[in-house]
Amino acid sequence: MVEVPKARELDGGAQPSKRRTAGNATVDAIKDYILEHRLHPGDPLPTEAVLQEILGVSRSSVREALRTLQSLDIVSIQHGRGMSVGGLSFSPMIEAVLFRARLNAKDDLSTLREVVEVRMALDLSLTDELISAYRGSSQPKLRQHVENMRECVAAGEGFAPCDEAFHSDLLAVTSNHMMQQLGMAFWRIHTAAVPAAGLPQARDISDTVNAHDAIIDALVAGDPAAYREAVVEHYRPLRRLLEVAAD
């Protein structure tokens, strides 16, 4: 049985600050339950009534804690299917950073610039692993994503879905699943934050598309210097746009 320190004393008719403390204790207790039972994403959780009995707290405290954990993607609640351990994704972080980017979008665009720098740093940090995986291959799937981007640009359309597919497939070879998720999380923040900041599409957006091809060329050739240069070129149009916007 998982114990909640002072949960009984703080539950019920306590002062607001104490109720918050009780809620936090219940959140921690449910997380402890998941850890102690070695549960993983998708594994079922007990019902609210069972959790209430196990933890020795009120149903309202359990529900409040579950709402908090659901917002963090630690718990998944599906009507008709019960509760399970959530996907433990980066969704909460994405929402927080994206809100921060929108908050200062009208001021200095500092968060968006930082997001771009983080994306570039992540890409560069994978240089050796990506070259090891791609050296000597042909990569028709990645090439097709780039061709799809070119067609979108030629038609005056956005190419976010093609770009997402490219970066998702590019990172799929890495053994570091955290890096995969983090890379795509910052891709989503970047893609949502640019239009939210009111920035127009860069005039030299074709340079970004061409940089995707250069990335593939460098990886297939096993050339780390060329890969790093291509990554920098990939972000150059947006970085120039941000510099102009800051003036």
Side-chain angles (χ1 to χ4, degrees):
M1 180 180 295
V2 180
E3 294 185 0
V4 184
K6 300 184 180 180
R8 291 184 184 278
E9 291 84 347
L10 297 176
D11 208 18
Q15 295 296 319
S17 61
K18 292 186 176 181
R19 283 200 297 271
R20 284 194 294 272
T21 303
N24 292 338
T26 306
V27 166
D28 290 341
I30 294 174
K31 288 193 289 188
D32 287 344
Y33 179 92
I34 293 170
L35 291 171
E36 291 179 13
H37 288 78
R38 298 181 179 275
L39 301 181
H40 296 89
D43 288 345
L45 287 170
T47 64
E48 288 183 4
V50 172
L51 285 174
Q52 178 185 353
E53 178 62 27
I54 292 173
L55 305 180
V57 297
S58 70
R59 194 160 205 172
S60 62
S61 289
V62 170
R63 287 181 174 175
E64 179 185 349
L66 289 173
R67 282 194 295 269
T68 297
L69 292 169
Q70 186 178 24
S71 71
L72 297 172
D73 200 23
I74 294 175
V75 167
S76 175
I77 303 174
Q78 296 181 317
H79 295 295
R81 299 184 61 180
M83 296 186 298
S84 61
V85 179
L88 309 179
S89 70
F90 284 98
S91 295
M93 182 199 72
I94 292 173
E95 290 300 320
V97 177
L98 184 54
F99 182 76
R100 180 176 174 179
R102 287 172 173 165
L103 193 63
N104 71 10
K106 304 302 181 184
D107 300 322
D108 59 4
L109 296 172
S110 61
T111 299
L112 182 51
R113 283 199 298 274
E114 290 168 359
V115 166
V116 173
E117 294 298 326
V118 168
R119 280 199 69 197
M120 190 162 65
L122 288 171
D123 289 345
L124 293 174
S125 72
L126 291 170
T127 300
D128 293 339
E129 185 172 5
L130 292 179
I131 283 179
S132 177
Y134 286 113
R135 181 187 285 114
S137 61
S138 59
Q139 297 306 311
K141 190 175 182 181
L142 291 177
R143 299 284 188 192
Q144 186 59 55
H145 292 322
V146 180
E147 186 57 34
N148 292 341
M149 291 183 216
R150 286 201 178 92
E151 292 175 0
C152 289
V153 171
E157 302 171 353
F159 56 82
C162 308
D163 191 47
E164 180 179 20
F166 176 90
H167 288 283
S168 179
D169 287 343
L170 181 73
L171 295 177
V173 300
T174 178
S175 58
N176 190 325
H177 299 295
M178 185 75 71
M179 191 70 80
Q180 290 179 33
Q181 292 182 39
L182 195 59
M184 294 315 298
F186 274 90
W187 181 92
R188 294 185 180 94
I189 294 167
H190 171 172
T191 305
V194 169
L199 294 174
Q201 180 169 282
R203 293 181 180 179
D204 47 0
I205 192 65
S206 292
D207 291 350
T208 295
V209 177
N210 293 335
H212 289 81
D213 252 341
I215 286 172
I216 303 172
D217 291 340
L219 292 175
V220 169
D223 187 337
Y227 169 75
R228 295 188 188 99
E229 182 179 350
V231 168
V232 172
E233 287 300 315
H234 172 268
Y235 295 105
R236 197 181 301 280
L238 178 57
R239 294 172 78 190
R240 279 197 290 258
L241 193 63
L242 288 168
E243 289 173 6
V244 171
D247 291 339

